[in-house]
């Protein structure tokens, strides 16, 4: 079983980067499981966010020079351009799952609309069946009353036959 490159948890089923060969849990990779599965053969060319940005997990092939930014001070420390760029990239990586979440929400909305439509159809069908059942119950009641009359008439006929 592989270990997720981002959260360091075990990955039973996840996305595998074709470049760095790292494994990721779907959530950590910023892709939904359904979205990943829909890619079909394109999964073989899926790249993690770091490889897409040209980094090899923590090491950029072209490191920015350690240039001091003018006037950006945090506490007693001046923030370098490289640190700022790293923070921006980290935020970008954290925001990657939002696209997959947005697609999942759209899919959920579509599914909800279909369920509501099916619910209305089912409700209409249940109402129709209820009316039919009431009609059948009414007819059965009439038949039962007729049966009682027939039994009573049959007894009268037998009584008359014995008198004759």
């Amino acid at each position: 079983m592989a270990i997720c490159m981002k959260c360091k948890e075990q990955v039973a089923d996840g996305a595998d980067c074709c470049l760095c060969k790292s494994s990721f849990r779907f959530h950590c990779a910023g892709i939904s499981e359904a979205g990943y599965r829909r890619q079909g053969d394109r999964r073989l060319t899926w790249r993690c966010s770091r490889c897409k940005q040209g980094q090899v997990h923590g090491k950029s092939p072209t490191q920015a020079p350690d240039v001091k930014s003018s006037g950006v001070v945090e506490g007693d420390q001046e923030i370098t351009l490289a640190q700022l760029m790293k923070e921006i990239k980290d935020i970008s990586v954290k925001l990657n799952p939002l696209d997959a979440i947005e697609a999942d929400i759209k899919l959920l909305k579509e599914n909800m609309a279909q369920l509501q439509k099916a619910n209305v159809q089912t409700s209409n069908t249940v109402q129709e069946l209820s009316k039919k059942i009431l009609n059948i119950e009414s007819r059965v009641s009439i038949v039962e009353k007729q049966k009682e009359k027939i039994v009573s008439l049959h007894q009268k006929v037998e009584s008359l036959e014995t008198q004759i």
Side-chain angles (χ1 to χ4, degrees), residues 60-91:
S60 174
T62 56
Q63 287 282 354
D66 193 17
V67 177
K68 301 280 183 186
S69 61
S70 56
V72 180
V73 177
E74 186 178 285
D76 293 337
Q77 240 180 355
E78 194 169 337
I79 300 174
T80 65
L81 182 59
Q83 290 170 327
L84 189 56
M85 291 303 293
K86 182 186 180 314
E87 286 186 35
I88 290 172
K89 286 180 182 179
D90 289 345
I91 290 170

Side-chain angles (χ1 to χ4, degrees), residues 58-127:
K59 298 174 185 164
S60 174
T62 56
Q63 287 282 354
D66 193 17
V67 177
K68 301 280 183 186
S69 61
S70 56
V72 180
V73 177
E74 186 178 285
D76 293 337
Q77 240 180 355
E78 194 169 337
I79 300 174
T80 65
L81 182 59
Q83 290 170 327
L84 189 56
M85 291 303 293
K86 182 186 180 314
E87 286 186 35
I88 290 172
K89 286 180 182 179
D90 289 345
I91 290 170
S92 176
V93 167
K94 289 178 183 176
L95 294 177
N96 278 341
L98 292 180
D99 291 334
I101 291 171
E102 181 182 13
D104 288 345
I105 288 172
K106 286 179 182 178
L107 184 62
L108 286 172
K109 283 182 179 179
E110 291 171 7
N111 290 344
M112 183 63 78
Q114 291 173 352
L115 285 172
Q116 287 173 336
K117 183 178 177 182
N119 189 28
V120 168
Q121 291 172 340
T122 302
S123 178
N124 291 339
T125 302
V126 167
Q127 288 176 353

